[in-house]
Amino acid sequence: MLDPRLTIIGERLKSIGQIIVVSSGKGGVGKSLIASTLALILARKGFRVGLLDLDFTSPTTHVTLGVRGLQPSEDKGVVPPEVHGIKYMSLIFYLGDRTSPLRGPEISNAFIEMLAVTRWGSLDMLIIDMPPGIGDLMLDVLKYIRGARFLIITSPSRMAFETVRKLLTLLRDLGAEIIGVIENMKMEDSAHIRREVEALGERFLGEIHFDGRVENALGDVDALLKTDFAKEIEKILEENVMWR
Amino acid sequence: MHEWALAEAIISAVSQIAEREGLKEVREVGLRIGELQQVDREVLGFALSQLKSGKLSNAKFTMRTVRARFKCRVCGNKWLFREAKVSEDVKESIHFIPEVAHAYFRCPRCGSPDFDISSGRGVWISSVRGVK
């Protein structure tokens, strides 16, 4: 018995310039917010951008983007709706407000199904928001998405970085391409994370300070893009020449 | 309908198998269609007939439906998808991503969402026959 979906995934992703996987070893460090804001900034700059929320059990990018009343359309597959210039895909379209208690093999199956049926078309960049940790989905992304590049997010916490260190080690061991590490929610001056990242031989891309205005800007993308949070992401983006 | 996307995946997979097995022509492809995904067999058959080409031009696709069965991981109860009362909206969601069944269904005996889809989830290629 052969699962036919596995052979079509490469075909579905072949017209995408770059696939950027936003991940962290720890939850609550701002992955989803950074992934969504990054997609918004890139779309405003004129890039053709897609955003895929792979946090199947706790998706949240739709909250940041204020996605309401939208559904993918059907044309020989599933065509993601456009949200603020971003082609957007999330399990939320099929779940509504319901929770989805999924075990590992089910998460893998949902992932394969989504990649096999979603028709992204031609994109400059696909941003993937990952669930926290080094679990089934991380292994699936490494297995099925060739050429994925990993953007790692940490907070200043040594606890968060402890998990990030493990993630970086795994990605390096598996030969994955690591773009670099962003330190988010910075509240005090400290070069601790920068030193740790550089000691591992990886790129420290920059820091984003804690911005209390972000919470009230969730769902309002114009307000979000005016926050210092978004401006700092844009600065990191420019300093690193779009990471190319 | 995303039957076209599934058909594309089937054609791509069978082409790879034919290449690997050194088949000059594919004569028959056996498919197992899981009941849970509620694939429209007519649409899938039509899509396959439109998409097949080259070594697959004369291939006949046979489909067999596999009943969707659930088994509760908490109390061990077993039940069938066809026994569940499901609205059209929910059916539509499950059609696209069958795993969302876990968001809509509960074990009829103990109420747990922690169940296994023991059979009849999606589409599988069960056999490929052809001429070398």
Side-chain angles (χ1 to χ4, degrees), chain B residues 12-60:
Chain B
S12 166
V14 174
S15 302
Q16 277 187 21
I17 293 169
E19 205 60 45
R20 199 175 61 218
E21 301 295 322
L23 298 179
K24 276 193 235 151
E25 188 188 11
V26 176
R27 293 268 171 89
E28 194 178 329
V29 178
L31 300 173
R32 297 280 182 274
I33 312 289
E35 186 186 36
L36 182 61
Q37 201 159 16
Q38 309 145 86
V39 168
D40 187 323
R41 288 171 58 151
E42 210 173 303
V43 177
L44 181 65
F46 177 70
L48 289 167
S49 72
Q50 296 296 301
L51 293 171
K52 64 182 184 179
S53 63
K55 289 178 180 177
L56 277 74
S57 297
N58 298 315
K60 187 181 163 212

Side-chain angles (χ1 to χ4, degrees), chain B residues 2-132:
Chain B
H2 78 317
E3 277 76 1
W4 279 86
L6 296 173
E8 238 181 294
I10 292 165
I11 296 289
S12 166
V14 174
S15 302
Q16 277 187 21
I17 293 169
E19 205 60 45
R20 199 175 61 218
E21 301 295 322
L23 298 179
K24 276 193 235 151
E25 188 188 11
V26 176
R27 293 268 171 89
E28 194 178 329
V29 178
L31 300 173
R32 297 280 182 274
I33 312 289
E35 186 186 36
L36 182 61
Q37 201 159 16
Q38 309 145 86
V39 168
D40 187 323
R41 288 171 58 151
E42 210 173 303
V43 177
L44 181 65
F46 177 70
L48 289 167
S49 72
Q50 296 296 301
L51 293 171
K52 64 182 184 179
S53 63
K55 289 178 180 177
L56 277 74
S57 297
N58 298 315
K60 187 181 163 212
F61 291 87
T62 57
M63 301 181 205
R64 210 179 87 192
T65 301
V66 180
R67 268 190 190 185
R69 298 171 194 277
F70 304 127
K71 184 182 178 191
C72 180
R73 291 193 186 105
V74 177
C75 73
N77 182 36
K78 293 176 185 172
W79 75 102
L80 295 171
F81 171 59
R82 58 179 59 182
E83 290 169 351
K85 283 181 188 158
V86 192
S87 72
E88 285 307 311
D89 282 356
V90 171
K91 278 186 179 172
E92 175 93 347
S93 292
I94 293 171
H95 171 63
F96 286 107
I97 312 282
E99 282 62 43
V100 301
H102 290 271
Y104 295 100
F105 296 165
R106 295 287 180 267
C107 168
R109 189 158 77 189
C110 74
S112 171
D114 187 10
F115 57 84
D116 187 34
I117 303 168
S118 32
S119 69
R121 182 211 167 274
V123 175
W124 293 83
I125 297 168
S126 55
S127 62
V128 176
R129 291 196 182 89
V131 186
K132 284 206 177 185

Side-chain angles (χ1 to χ4, degrees), chain A residues 2-16 19 52 54 56 107-121 126 128 137 139-148, chain B residues 5-13 16 121:
Chain A
L2 182 112
D3 186 344
R5 299 172 302 170
L6 303 179
T7 56
I8 202 77
I9 291 174
E11 179 71 20
R12 298 278 183 248
L13 303 175
K14 75 171 185 193
S15 303
I16 299 174
I19 300 180
L52 171 62
L54 283 186
F56 291 152
I107 287 175
S108 290
N109 243 328
F111 168 78
I112 292 168
E113 195 75 34
M114 205 175 244
L115 287 192
V117 302
T118 305
R119 301 178 73 102
W120 293 100
L126 175 65
I128 299 183
L137 267 171
L139 297 172
D140 282 334
V141 165
L142 287 162
K143 184 175 174 186
Y144 295 113
I145 304 186
R146 299 275 159 80
Chain B
L6 296 173
E8 238 181 294
I10 292 165
I11 296 289
S12 166
Q16 277 187 21
R121 182 211 167 274

